[in-house]
Amino acid sequence: MKLGVVLRAENLIREKEFRHNRVVTPYGPVDRIFSGALHGVETHFLYGRFPGRRTPSWEIPYQANQSAFDELDVDHQIGTFVVGGVDKAVRGGDLVVPHDLISFSGPGISLPPRDNRFSNAHVVPAFCPLLRSLLLRGARETGTAVHESGVYFNFYGFARIETDAELSLMEKLGLRLVGQTLDPEFTLARLRRRHYAAIAVAIDSYHDMKNEAEQDPDVFRARSRQAIADGREHFERIIEAGLATLGDAPAEECGCARVATGNHRDMFSSFPEDLL
């Protein structure tokens, strides 16, 4: 396993003396990689999805980020997220390990296939069951309360939060989380057949979002910043503890990297190959 984690893991980077890495990709350099080992596992932290100041979700350099993991031969990836809690059981500050996602929109970006032949990413199940188990074991080992399942609704490409009607629809659909950054990161990682799992912290609850006009903006901002800081510390401890349990985990197959083999004719050829 070579693990890539999208997380501003300040504590682990300092404590474990991870080295600063600059990776040059076809989409530009990525200069916020920190590399080292956790419990014998080669680990690379991508210190935030976007460089420098916060940027809109549609300006995040997803292709460069995933290409950096390509250059490092990363085959397992954990994404960490800041989200809204749609399920009324999720309160601000709660942690969730989602088991599936819905994403109805996104940018028209992709990565060139490594074998010169495009194929869709296979995403059933969406998240790697072995990586999810690692996160859940880490939560139990550290005594951290998490919601162990939930569907993440990817609300990509709008510079606003959700409308009342959208929140009501999500609630009726039984969704648990809403955010803007899980996809296309997830899709690009799965196109590379990386094992992928996610863990998220909710900065607000269904009630908070439904009653935004009643919230004091300064109080809400302070509470959100604290939830994010606490969430990152929990993410670090959970991931480290989960990696420590790898030797105790049962040998299983997840199928994330399974692909067809053999010399198969391209079903999408527009005319017979012997005429090419």
Side-chain angles (χ1 to χ4, degrees):
M1 174 190 291
K2 292 186 179 181
L3 179 65
V5 184
V6 184
L7 173 62
R8 298 172 186 265
E10 295 181 13
N11 297 317
L12 284 175
I13 288 169
R14 290 193 176 99
E15 290 171 10
K16 306 298 182 182
E17 298 182 342
F18 273 46
R19 68 186 181 277
H20 187 202
N21 221 342
R22 184 177 188 266
V23 180
V24 177
T25 81
Y27 302 93
V30 177
D31 58 5
R32 58 196 187 284
I33 299 282
F34 291 85
S35 303
L38 286 176
H39 298 285
V41 176
E42 182 179 322
T43 305
H44 303 276
F45 286 108
L46 175 63
Y47 194 84
R49 286 181 176 80
F50 42 83
R53 295 175 61 85
R54 184 177 180 181
T55 190
S57 56
W58 56 89
E59 293 182 6
I60 293 173
Y62 291 105
Q63 291 162 304
N65 293 345
Q66 293 304 311
S67 293
F69 283 155
D70 287 347
E71 295 295 323
L72 296 165
D73 292 324
V74 165
D75 53 11
H76 288 67
Q77 183 176 339
I78 295 174
T80 66
F81 299 91
V82 175
V83 298
V86 177
D87 185 333
K88 291 177 180 176
V90 177
R91 310 300 300 176
D94 283 9
L95 302 184
V96 184
V97 179
H99 72 280
D100 213 332
L101 79 153
I102 293 174
S103 183
F104 286 149
S105 61
I109 64 173
S110 188
L111 289 170
R114 286 178 164 175
D115 57 2
N116 296 318
R117 177 172 290 183
F118 171 78
S119 63
N120 287 310
H122 290 268
V123 292
V124 179
F127 300 123
C128 175
L130 303 186
L131 271 186
R132 287 192 73 252
S133 293
L134 182 149
L135 292 171
L136 295 176
R137 289 197 307 272
R140 295 182 192 119
E141 288 290 323
T142 58
T144 306
V146 299
H147 298 273
E148 297 192 0
S149 64
V151 177
Y152 181 124
F153 184 84
N154 197 74
F155 192 83
Y156 181 86
F158 297 97
R160 61 169 174 81
I161 64 169
E162 297 69 39
T163 67
D164 185 60
E166 288 164 347
L167 288 171
S168 296
L169 176 61
M170 290 179 208
E171 183 191 24
K172 291 175 182 176
L173 290 173
L175 308 180
R176 175 154 278 178
L177 307 172
V178 61
Q180 293 197 3
T181 51
L182 178 52
D183 229 3
E185 177 178 294
F186 163 77
T187 299
L188 295 181
R190 292 298 297 127
L191 279 171
R192 287 296 192 245
R193 297 191 285 276
R194 277 194 262 279
H195 304 252
Y196 189 99
I199 185 169
V201 60
I203 60 170
D204 49 15
S205 67
Y206 181 83
H207 177 271
D208 293 330
M209 289 189 285
K210 291 278 282 188
N211 299 281
E212 182 189 15
E214 300 173 9
Q215 303 288 315
D216 182 317
D218 291 328
V219 171
F220 174 75
R221 177 60 63 87
R223 190 172 66 239
S224 298
R225 289 174 67 88
Q226 189 61 51
I228 294 169
D230 292 343
R232 285 176 180 159
E233 290 190 6
H234 287 310
F235 296 156
E236 289 184 79
R237 290 197 295 270
I238 286 170
I239 291 168
E240 183 182 18
L243 288 172
T245 68
L246 269 181
D248 302 325
E252 297 181 47
E253 286 291 335
C254 59
C256 294
R258 190 176 301 147
V259 294
T261 59
N263 185 22
H264 302 289
R265 180 176 177 177
D266 190 341
M267 70 182 78
F268 299 106
S269 292
S270 57
F271 46 83
E273 294 179 358
D274 60 352
L275 297 182
L276 291 175

